[in-house]
Amino acid sequence: MTSPLPPGETLPQPVLNPPASVAVFLVATIDTGGEAAVREVLGSLAGLVRSVGFPSPDGGLGCVAGIGSRAWGRLFGGPRPAELHPFRELAGPRHHAPSTPGDLFFHIKAARTDLCFALAAELMRRLRGTVTVRDETQAFSYFDSRNVLGFVDGTENPVGQAAADAALVGEEDPAFRGGSYAVVQKYLHDVDAWEALAVEAQEKVIGRTKLTNLELDAPGSHKDVNTVLGPDGAEQRILRAAMPFGRPGHGEFGTYFVAYARTPGIPETMLRKMFLGGPGSGPDPLLDYSRAVTGSLFFVPPAGFLEALPEG
């Protein structure tokens, strides 16, 4: 497999940046006639991030923007990403992964809440009257990289060149080299039912120890079901950017799941195993305590694409 970032190629959006302490996730659909305003915002996004983040250089402000399948042709002429398509709904006998509307995706991240808030507010000011916000989620890091169920999340993320190879498009689609596919889902957790389980039972569901995050030999566990192997038996990797969110006063506790991948086929295979099961494996046992309420697929173009948008 050739490297997705040969010398001299355009850089990706900040998909590969380390996890941030705070994030705001925005999913929107484009209203009729809103295409020009959306193009203007996408084309000026890098400068907007620099302006908002300039007074706080240690804040690490960044933003990843993705475009959905139904919006691509409305916004841009020319070729489209080879594997971009609408999110495919999954309906199993016990669990359901819905496909929900989404033309635009913004993953805003920083070390400080105020920076994420300021950028989200400015984006929405510029897009007001041209898009309909379908979901807005403010997320946060929780203790030592744990989710609200108490387990460490993202343990198996690749790093360095392995992360680039997993997350960024390469020579297989040269017009979009350095881009990435983003599978986005919002999960709500039944925390009361989860906390009613003994720690040992929770560990059997997850496939890791709760305190030390050590991997267990637990066939059929969440960890096991989420492992996708290629034809050669090697694990096929994605870059997870999941973060916890919640509103305790409303009894809402959840995980905002984002998978950045070189091809959407890998996270889609993972989701089919999770929701539908597969040979010798039932559905993901964690779904007995977690419910997907959104599902969208976006393409994250390389940074140079946004700086010089093709004509619509």
Side-chain angles (χ1 to χ4, degrees), residues 183-205:
V183 171
V184 176
Q185 291 179 294
K186 185 175 182 176
Y187 287 86
L188 297 179
H189 304 312
D190 185 344
V191 172
D192 290 340
W194 179 255
E195 292 182 347
L197 296 177
V199 170
E200 292 80 4
Q202 293 179 356
E203 292 176 337
K204 185 177 180 180
V205 169

Side-chain angles (χ1 to χ4, degrees), residues 124-194:
M124 290 299 98
R125 185 188 71 80
R126 297 184 182 206
L127 291 171
R128 190 171 297 122
T130 64
V131 303
T132 298
V133 175
R134 300 292 181 166
D135 185 72
E136 176 182 354
T137 300
Q138 300 187 31
F140 49 86
S141 61
Y142 188 60
F143 293 115
D144 47 345
S145 300
R146 295 179 184 267
N147 55 35
V148 293
L149 300 179
F151 284 78
V152 175
D153 211 354
T155 299
E156 297 298 329
N157 260 353
V159 297
Q161 186 59 49
D165 290 340
L168 303 181
V169 173
E171 293 293 342
E172 67 274 15
D173 194 3
F176 295 100
R177 186 186 299 110
S180 184
Y181 292 90
V183 171
V184 176
Q185 291 179 294
K186 185 175 182 176
Y187 287 86
L188 297 179
H189 304 312
D190 185 344
V191 172
D192 290 340
W194 179 255

Side-chain angles (χ1 to χ4, degrees), residues 25 27 83-88 90 97-98 105 107 180-187 238-242 256-271 274-275 294-300:
F25 299 101
V27 174
E83 297 188 76
L84 181 59
H85 55 261
F87 183 91
R88 291 164 179 155
L90 297 170
F105 170 60
H107 176 183
S180 184
Y181 292 90
V183 171
V184 176
Q185 291 179 294
K186 185 175 182 176
Y187 287 86
I238 59 174
L239 190 64
R240 291 172 169 85
Y256 202 95
F257 174 75
V258 182
Y260 291 113
R262 185 170 185 160
T263 167
I266 297 175
E268 287 172 341
T269 298
M270 182 189 75
L271 292 178
M274 286 177 60
F275 285 85
T294 71
S296 303
L297 172 65
F298 302 92
F299 185 74
V300 177

Side-chain angles (χ1 to χ4, degrees), residues 15-290:
V15 167
L16 304 179
N17 289 21
S21 300
V22 186
V24 173
F25 299 101
L26 294 166
V27 174
T29 50
I30 304 171
D31 297 340
T32 301
E35 293 82 3
V38 169
R39 282 176 53 87
E40 184 174 348
V41 166
L42 292 174
S44 62
L45 182 60
L48 181 58
V49 172
R50 287 193 296 270
S51 295
V52 174
F54 181 78
S56 307
D58 296 331
L61 180 63
C63 182
V64 173
I67 297 94
S69 177
R70 294 185 177 93
W72 190 273
R74 295 173 59 187
L75 294 172
F76 315 122
R80 58 183 281 132
E83 297 188 76
L84 181 59
H85 55 261
F87 183 91
R88 291 164 179 155
E89 178 183 18
L90 297 170
R94 292 168 53 192
H95 306 299
H96 177 223
S99 177
T100 52
D103 294 333
L104 298 173
F105 170 60
F106 295 103
H107 176 183
I108 303 168
K109 46 190 174 180
R112 290 169 29 189
T113 303
D114 58 340
L115 293 174
C116 289
F117 177 87
L119 181 56
E122 182 60 24
L123 283 173
M124 290 299 98
R125 185 188 71 80
R126 297 184 182 206
L127 291 171
R128 190 171 297 122
T130 64
V131 303
T132 298
V133 175
R134 300 292 181 166
D135 185 72
E136 176 182 354
T137 300
Q138 300 187 31
F140 49 86
S141 61
Y142 188 60
F143 293 115
D144 47 345
S145 300
R146 295 179 184 267
N147 55 35
V148 293
L149 300 179
F151 284 78
V152 175
D153 211 354
T155 299
E156 297 298 329
N157 260 353
V159 297
Q161 186 59 49
D165 290 340
L168 303 181
V169 173
E171 293 293 342
E172 67 274 15
D173 194 3
F176 295 100
R177 186 186 299 110
S180 184
Y181 292 90
V183 171
V184 176
Q185 291 179 294
K186 185 175 182 176
Y187 287 86
L188 297 179
H189 304 312
D190 185 344
V191 172
D192 290 340
W194 179 255
E195 292 182 347
L197 296 177
V199 170
E200 292 80 4
Q202 293 179 356
E203 292 176 337
K204 185 177 180 180
V205 169
I206 297 296
R208 291 185 178 276
T209 58
K210 191 169 188 177
L211 179 62
T212 58
N213 191 41
L214 296 177
E215 188 173 311
L216 298 172
D217 182 13
S221 66
H222 173 69
K223 174 192 67 66
D224 182 51
V225 172
N226 274 258
T227 300
V228 176
L229 302 180
D232 60 355
E235 183 175 352
Q236 295 185 299
R237 312 296 290 275
I238 59 174
L239 190 64
R240 291 172 169 85
M243 292 190 74
F245 68 90
R247 297 186 300 166
H250 293 76
E252 181 180 274
F253 302 88
T255 297
Y256 202 95
F257 174 75
V258 182
Y260 291 113
R262 185 170 185 160
T263 167
I266 297 175
E268 287 172 341
T269 298
M270 182 189 75
L271 292 178
R272 284 194 297 272
K273 291 178 62 181
M274 286 177 60
F275 285 85
L276 307 181
S281 175
D284 188 339
L286 185 57
L287 293 178
D288 291 335
Y289 308 92
S290 300

